[in-house]
Amino acid sequence: MVAKQLTVVQVVPEMDEGGVEGETLDFAIYLAREGHRSVVISGGGRLVRQLEQNGVNHVYWKDIGTKSARCLKYISRLRAFLIDQRVDVLHLRSRLPAWIGYFAWRGMNRSTRPALVTSFHGFYSVNAYSTIMTRGERVIAVSDTIREHILSNYQLDPQRIELIYGGYDPAVFDPDSVSAQRVAVLKKSWGIERQTGPVIMLPGRITSWKGQDVFVEALAKIKELPFCALCVGDTDENQSFTKRLRDSIESHGLEDKVRLVGHCDDMPAALLVSDLVVSASSSQPEAFGKVAIEAMAMGRPVIATRHGGSLETVRENETGWFVEPADADDLATCLRRVLTAQEMLAETGARGQHWVQNHFTARCMCERTIDCYRRLLEEKRKRRTGEILSVVQMLPELDSGGVERGTLEIGRYLAGRQHRSFVISGGGRLVEQLEAEGSRHVDWQVGAKSPLTLKYVLPLRRLLKNEQIDILHLRSRMPAWVGYIAWKSLPKKYRPTLVTTFHGFYSVNRYSAIMTKGEGIIAISKSIERHIREAYGVRHGIKLIFRGVDKEIFDSAAIDPSRVEQLRTAWNIDSSRPLIILPGRLTRLKGQDVFIRALAQMRNTGYQALLIGDIKDNPKFTEELIALIGEYQLADRLSLAGYCDDMPAALMLADIVVSASSNEPEAFGRTTIEAMAMGKAVVATAHGGSLETVTPGHTGWLVRPGDAADLARALDEALQAAERRAAFGRAGRELVNRTFTMKKMCEETEALYRELVDAKRRVHADRTEVQEAEFN
């Protein structure tokens, strides 16, 4: 299949000298040569002729880079141009033109507007003006240093950033293709045709940023050596700084050694004039440092300042050397060392040439950029047709707990299927895992029960609209209020599909009723489904989706014995005694107090027991539990293990797993099915979701809620029946594999998302058809 030829528009302030302009030129010509329609919009400059000679369409808009009201006229003009020319990609490479381009693009029809790409070519000052460069649907960073700058200073999804190094044109920067005559012409025009000592060159705009002043100061410290130094760059562009340089050269008595030669149209030949090239950027690091790679391409060694993109392009003591920024003494020392050992120059230059030929060619840069375009366009097509969904899940935090882990699992599943997964929460220990698995985390404190939490309504509204979210999935009450208000305030055409999940038997009141507002309402158990129908009178839109176990994690065959032994040692488990564990948050809801009273009433005392849960989460209740253990003299049999981040290994240690929820039934009882998945017998309270997961006499024991004596009876019975425990474990594992897997939960959730989104698309299509019929 032949790839579609694209129409690409790049926008820059001007096409004169500089790294941005050079990269724009290289890529524009590459596009034209590859048969694409290549357009550059700029305020003109020296490079326009070269663009047009190579088949690029240059559009001259005088004020496109002018910081005045005059540039605003281009917003509507650019929008009309993009529509008329059916542009596929709009690539913005500088801040002011980027604002113009963004406003033009944003005003277009979402379904037909081009892909928007921005390039970070520098360390822009961090302010509202510079944020425009993060608005691209893809943001190209020209070095890893720039990528880190973006991530450190802007709230941007890392997945939207593409690292694409700049590159040089090997056909242009090739020592073998530069004639001796071209070199001789430059030497004569610069008055150095009789120069016998080494030539040191600093190419770049004449500006304090490029460090020509530091360069001159360093040269003054080694002026007794035989050398000639050339500063290549337009001397008319920054006349005040040029005058300062001339004054400095004169004051140091360097008139015969240092020359400001002005702009050069033949940089390949210029670099061959030199023996050593210096990149002395000082006040600000180079974002990439094209001068360095062009010099190495011509076989010239480089001295560069130790910061920014130079750290990625120059290899110290192999292709060049580093000096500290703005340090004339360090630069002078380095110059003296290499100039007095000139045999190093040719060897270092040869290694540099080989290095850049393999890593930094313009063709590589161009191919990676066009690949970025195609992937973005394909993603946009899939999002437009519904093949890719954009999903936001909201919950109070991402710490431990069933709601959090379910959110994590859906996020991982979505990202693994190339959907776009966002999670909004107040953070927690699971954030790192979430992001590593491909979801974007937005750190907003949406779980605080305070009117101040409503401050997130407007940011959420913007996120839903700008990211074109398909599904807003609300998983807890306070975040649900924030999400619902943001959703309701959007025009209907911008609203995502609203989904809520009932994770518990919430108190029945207006506050909890927010969980019934979803266009789709997920009930995680039949008990919860009945609760929604009976307590809120909801008859339609409820979908039963059982929560599930990740069988890749909760699989006894996949557990390395060393993990189990590590926990056995840490918790001081006696292998000769059966182990009973109760995992879960330390809260009265989970019934740890009932469990302790049950242990105290048991006839069998030859066991060991553990409460597994974060002891810092609920300090007051933890103190109460410790007091109960002391009161019933259970310290030799029962311990508080604290938080555990390896529950599969912990379950492998157990002989019996208890779910003792008492005051309120478990909505589902994830701990129970995880234990069953690991082949463990379970004892659970006979209410809520446990009635759907535990079958008495088949997979475990059920006991009356809050009844310590009944729990003690079941535990005594379980301890006396090892073979029965094993049989219950096997039956439980079979039930989980059949009904309660994470894979099934995720597939059913995705199916619900698609069903709701497709229904909304059909309604929208029907309305559009009716409107068109009425218009005609």
Side-chain angles (χ1 to χ4, degrees):
M1 179 180 175
V2 178
K4 176 183 181 253
Q5 300 305 293
L6 304 177
T7 298
V8 178
V9 172
Q10 300 182 82
V11 187
V12 288
E14 61 182 8
M15 283 302 295
D16 231 318
E17 65 180 0
V20 178
E21 293 86 339
E23 193 166 310
T24 303
L25 178 76
D26 289 341
F27 186 55
I29 292 173
Y30 169 85
L31 288 171
R33 288 175 179 170
E34 293 294 312
H36 302 285
R37 291 180 62 216
S38 177
V39 182
V40 173
I41 298 174
S42 84
R46 293 188 182 94
L47 300 177
V48 169
R49 183 179 178 187
Q50 196 173 341
L51 282 171
E52 294 178 335
Q53 287 175 338
N54 285 278
V56 178
N57 177 20
H58 179 261
V59 179
Y60 173 68
W61 286 351
K62 179 181 177 182
D63 299 318
I64 192 71
T66 304
K67 292 182 179 178
S68 77
R70 293 195 302 274
C71 69
L72 298 179
K73 63 187 176 186
Y74 293 119
I75 294 174
S76 58
R77 188 181 300 184
L78 178 57
R79 184 182 301 127
F81 183 88
L82 296 173
I83 295 170
D84 180 64
Q85 297 297 313
R86 298 185 178 181
V87 172
D88 297 296
V89 179
L90 175 61
H91 193 154
L92 307 173
R93 291 184 176 272
S94 185
R95 287 173 291 178
L96 183 59
W99 279 108
I100 294 166
Y102 177 72
F103 284 127
W105 175 85
R106 197 174 72 167
M108 297 175 67
N109 186 303
R110 284 189 172 196
S111 63
T112 58
R113 66 192 181 190
L116 184 68
V117 177
T118 55
S119 279
F120 253 84
H121 286 281
F123 291 92
Y124 307 122
S125 51
V126 180
N127 52 36
Y129 178 58
S130 298
T131 59
I132 188 60
M133 303 312 294
T134 67
R135 301 291 178 87
E137 294 172 297
R138 285 294 181 276
V139 179
I140 293 176
V142 299
S143 66
D144 195 50
T145 301
I146 289 293
R147 182 180 183 276
E148 291 305 312
H149 170 76
I150 297 169
L151 292 174
S152 299
N153 293 287
Y154 301 94
Q155 291 186 335
L156 187 65
D157 180 1
Q159 295 180 5
R160 280 172 53 197
I161 303 176
E162 290 271 344
L163 172 60
I164 301 179
Y165 288 113
Y168 75 98
D169 187 344
V172 176
F173 288 89
D174 176 10
D176 295 333
S177 68
V178 179
S179 68
Q181 182 182 5
R182 286 166 58 186
V183 177
V185 167
L186 284 180
K187 284 185 174 181
K188 185 175 181 180
S189 68
W190 292 341
I192 60 169
E193 63 268 37
R194 292 184 177 83
Q195 174 67 28
T196 56
V199 176
I200 312 166
M201 179 178 292
L202 194 161
R205 285 178 171 168
I206 305 297
T207 166
S208 60
W209 168 34
K210 294 297 185 181
Q212 287 93 348
D213 50 350
V214 179
F215 181 52
V216 170
E217 188 179 342
L219 294 173
K221 297 175 184 297
I222 61 166
K223 64 182 181 180
E224 79 281 3
L225 297 179
F227 66 82
C228 173
L230 305 174
C231 291
V232 181
D234 192 340
T235 55
D236 295 326
E237 188 176 3
N238 188 342
Q239 293 183 14
S240 62
F241 186 69
T242 299
K243 184 178 184 304
R244 279 174 51 197
L245 283 181
R246 293 192 194 281
D247 291 344
S248 179
I249 292 168
E250 184 178 349
S251 68
H252 287 299
L254 293 170
E255 298 94 328
D256 294 335
K257 285 181 170 288
V258 182
R259 305 183 184 205
L260 308 185
V261 299
H263 173 75
C264 178
D265 286 321
D266 191 355
M267 282 307 300
L271 290 166
L272 283 187
V273 168
S274 71
D275 298 286
L276 175 66
V277 175
V278 174
S279 174
S281 59
S282 53
S283 59
Q284 182 177 305
E286 293 285 349
F288 173 62
K290 196 165 184 177
V291 163
I293 64 165
E294 289 175 347
M296 288 187 281
M298 299 304 291
R300 296 305 182 251
V302 177
I303 295 177
T305 41
R306 193 189 299 277
H307 58 175
S310 298
L311 294 171
E312 299 167 56
T313 57
V314 179
R315 307 185 79 174
E316 189 164 23
N317 297 321
E318 184 177 338
T319 69
W321 305 272
F322 286 121
V323 295
E324 295 306 313
D327 191 332
D329 289 332
D330 198 22
L331 178 55
T333 300
C334 185
L335 285 167
R336 185 184 298 279
R337 186 174 73 250
V338 301
L339 290 177
T340 53
Q342 291 190 39
E343 68 281 357
M344 285 198 306
L345 297 181
E347 295 172 3
T348 306
R351 287 193 294 266
Q353 186 177 27
H354 181 72
W355 163 247
V356 298
Q357 285 172 346
N358 288 300
H359 294 89
F360 299 111
T361 64
R363 183 168 190 87
C364 181
M365 178 266 291
C366 294
E367 288 175 346
R368 291 196 62 191
T369 304
I370 201 75
D371 178 63
C372 170
Y373 288 175
R374 291 200 183 282
R375 284 186 284 108
L376 174 57
L377 288 166
E378 179 65 4
E379 178 188 304
K380 286 171 68 70
R381 183 194 68 77
K382 288 183 176 180
R383 288 175 63 186
R384 191 166 55 248
T385 59
E387 293 176 61
I388 288 179
L389 297 175
S390 298
V391 180
V392 169
Q393 300 181 81
M394 290 181 67
L395 70 167
E397 61 182 7
L398 272 171
D399 228 318
S400 59
V403 179
E404 292 88 335
R405 287 163 66 191
T407 302
L408 206 71
E409 288 163 353
I410 291 294
R412 179 169 65 245
Y413 175 85
L414 291 171
R417 292 176 63 83
Q418 280 68 58
H419 298 299
R420 300 171 71 233
S421 172
F422 301 76
V423 174
I424 299 173
S425 85
R429 55 168 67 98
L430 296 177
V431 169
E432 184 177 350
Q433 181 182 346
L434 176 88
E435 293 181 329
E437 291 171 348
S439 294
R440 175 185 171 188
H441 181 255
V442 180
D443 193 348
W444 292 346
Q445 302 295 321
V446 290
K449 292 180 180 178
S450 161
L452 294 176
T453 307
L454 297 176
K455 69 182 180 182
Y456 294 111
V457 168
L458 289 179
L460 176 59
R461 192 177 183 274
R462 285 194 295 271
L463 186 148
L464 297 175
K465 186 176 178 181
N466 292 340
E467 296 291 347
Q468 300 177 52
I469 299 301
D470 298 299
I471 299 287
L472 175 59
H473 191 159
L474 308 174
R475 291 184 172 273
S476 185
R477 288 172 290 178
M478 191 64 214
W481 277 105
V482 174
Y484 179 73
I485 294 169
W487 176 85
K488 190 74 173 176
S489 69
L490 283 168
K492 285 187 177 181
K493 65 178 180 178
Y494 294 129
R495 286 181 192 168
T497 296
L498 190 68
V499 176
T500 54
T501 292
F502 260 82
H503 286 281
F505 293 94
Y506 307 123
S507 51
V508 181
N509 52 37
R510 290 183 179 179
Y511 177 60
S512 301
I514 189 63
M515 303 308 294
T516 68
K517 299 293 186 181
E519 295 168 292
I521 304 170
I522 296 175
I524 64 171
S525 66
K526 292 178 181 178
S527 300
I528 289 292
E529 184 179 11
R530 283 194 299 272
H531 172 72
I532 298 170
R533 294 184 186 280
E534 293 169 3
Y536 296 97
V538 177
R539 296 290 177 264
H540 305 288
I542 305 174
K543 176 70 175 179
L544 172 63
I545 301 179
F546 289 117
R547 293 168 70 182
V549 173
D550 186 344
K551 287 299 297 174
E552 292 183 4
I553 296 175
F554 289 90
D555 177 3
S556 56
I559 307 300
D560 188 323
S562 66
R563 289 163 54 187
V564 181
E565 290 309 311
Q566 187 176 358
L567 288 179
R568 188 188 305 277
T569 301
W571 291 339
N572 195 27
I573 303 300
D574 182 352
S575 301
S576 66
R577 293 189 288 170
L579 178 65
I580 307 169
I581 68 170
L582 193 161
R585 285 180 174 171
L586 299 189
T587 166
R588 207 170 302 280
L589 167 65
K590 296 296 184 181
Q592 288 93 350
D593 52 341
V594 178
F595 178 61
I596 292 171
R597 292 187 177 94
L599 296 180
Q601 297 179 45
M602 288 174 61
R603 296 189 304 275
N604 189 330
T605 58
Y607 63 84
Q608 192 169 354
L610 285 178
L611 294 175
I612 301 176
D614 193 341
I615 60 176
K616 299 176 183 178
D617 199 29
N618 190 345
K620 187 175 180 181
F621 187 63
T622 299
E623 289 176 8
E624 183 180 327
L625 295 179
I626 293 171
L628 276 176
I629 293 170
E631 178 183 342
Y632 290 114
Q633 300 180 0
L634 293 171
D636 60 332
R637 278 172 275 161
L638 175 61
S639 304
L640 274 68
Y643 173 76
C644 176
D645 59 5
D646 191 358
M647 280 308 301
L651 290 167
M652 285 292 289
L653 277 173
D655 295 282
I656 303 168
V657 180
V658 176
S659 173
S661 59
S662 52
N663 293 358
E664 185 179 305
E666 292 283 352
F668 176 68
R670 186 163 187 154
T671 294
T672 304
I673 62 165
E674 287 174 349
M676 293 162 63
M678 300 297 290
K680 300 300 177 178
V682 295
V683 177
T685 43
H687 58 173
S690 297
L691 296 172
E692 300 165 50
T693 56
V694 180
T695 304
H698 182 61
T699 63
W701 289 263
L702 287 176
V703 299
R704 291 184 293 275
D707 191 330
D710 199 26
L711 178 55
R713 174 199 57 76
L715 289 172
D716 274 326
E717 184 179 324
L719 285 174
Q720 293 171 0
E723 291 184 7
R724 198 177 182 195
R725 292 200 308 267
F728 284 3
R730 289 191 296 271
R733 182 187 288 120
E734 291 173 5
L735 175 63
V736 168
N737 291 342
R738 186 170 62 250
T739 309
F740 301 117
T741 66
M742 184 193 74
K743 183 173 183 288
K744 185 176 182 181
M745 173 192 75
C746 292
E747 289 174 344
E748 290 181 355
T749 303
E750 183 191 14
L752 175 63
Y753 288 168
R754 289 198 175 280
E755 178 187 334
L756 294 170
V757 168
D758 289 346
K760 184 169 284 190
R761 288 178 187 273
R762 286 194 297 271
V763 169
H764 178 71
D766 291 345
R767 284 176 181 167
T768 302
E769 189 176 329
V770 169
Q771 289 170 354
E772 290 177 350
E774 290 175 348
F775 178 78
N776 293 328

